[in-house]
Amino acid sequence: MRAINLFIRGIEVVSALLLGAVMLLIVASTLGRYAFAAPIPDSFDIARLLVGACLFWGFAVIGFRGGHIQVDLLVDATGPRLRRVINSFAWAVLLLFAGLLVWKVLGATLSAMRSNQLTYDLRIPIWPFYGLIWLGMLASLFTIAIKLWRIVSGRDHLTSAEAQEIEDVTHDTR
């Protein structure tokens, strides 16, 4: 479990660093544009690609923590055994779609690499940014699989989203 927590912490750090980089790039480019009439070249393209990476690395954290939007009306009305079956099915479907997304993003990354797509001003290759996005999706595939395994094996307690939020807050304050 310690290795999983370290893995998740690493994902959170990467996501935070990416978000910080986007913020710094946008602030610096905006200051450059309005204060010196000289924005950072390709800042829009780089920020756009980094935001995509932020989203997918953040999705990896959500894949483990289960903080995504969910409707608990049906699940809350069931017993623990049926709740486990419903949640297992839902997480399995999420794992399937995440796997398909990993496959498609890998295709887009390889395509960008083969076609040598570049940014407009600085001529920076785009494929490393796509690769960063793909790595975030790959991390999310692992975190979703871990969560599914924990649900199926009974290691993950199945509560409603509201009860889980309350538990997370009380756990974080300890």
Side-chain angles (χ1 to χ4, degrees):
M1 187 64 188
R2 180 163 163 73
I4 292 172
N5 286 334
L6 286 173
F7 179 65
I8 298 301
R9 179 66 68 192
I11 291 171
E12 290 172 338
V13 167
V14 170
S15 184
L17 289 173
L18 288 170
L19 190 58
V22 170
M23 183 200 64
L24 288 174
L25 179 63
I26 290 172
V27 168
S29 184
T30 303
L31 283 174
R33 181 181 321 123
Y34 291 112
F36 307 109
I40 296 174
D42 281 334
S43 61
F44 176 76
D45 285 334
I46 294 169
R48 167 180 68 89
L49 292 165
L50 287 177
V51 164
C54 284
L55 289 172
F56 286 116
W57 281 89
F59 185 65
V61 174
I62 290 172
F64 182 74
R65 303 239 188 263
H68 56 283
I69 298 171
Q70 54 191 12
V71 178
D72 291 333
L73 294 174
L74 176 65
V75 175
D76 283 345
T78 63
R81 184 170 290 154
L82 185 56
R83 182 177 300 156
R84 184 170 317 291
V85 169
I86 292 169
N87 279 322
S88 297
F89 176 75
W91 281 93
V93 170
L94 181 61
L95 183 65
L96 172 71
F97 282 108
L100 292 172
L101 197 52
V102 166
W103 173 53
K104 294 305 285 181
V105 172
L106 177 62
T109 303
L110 295 175
S111 175
M113 186 187 299
R114 282 190 298 269
S115 66
N116 197 29
Q117 290 180 9
L118 306 170
T119 60
Y120 184 75
D121 293 328
L122 299 177
R123 313 301 288 164
I124 300 170
I126 290 179
W127 72 265
F129 295 101
Y130 282 11
L132 191 60
I133 292 169
W134 178 75
L135 286 173
M137 276 311 305
L138 190 62
S140 71
L141 191 66
F142 285 121
T143 58
I144 294 167
I146 291 167
K147 180 72 170 186
L148 177 60
W149 172 74
R150 288 172 52 106
I151 291 171
V152 170
S153 67
R155 288 187 164 95
D156 202 26
H157 56 283
L158 300 174
T159 59
S160 68
E162 184 176 311
Q164 183 66 41
E165 286 177 16
I166 292 169
E167 183 177 320
D168 288 345
V169 167
T170 57
H171 178 72
D172 288 342
T173 58
R174 287 186 216 161

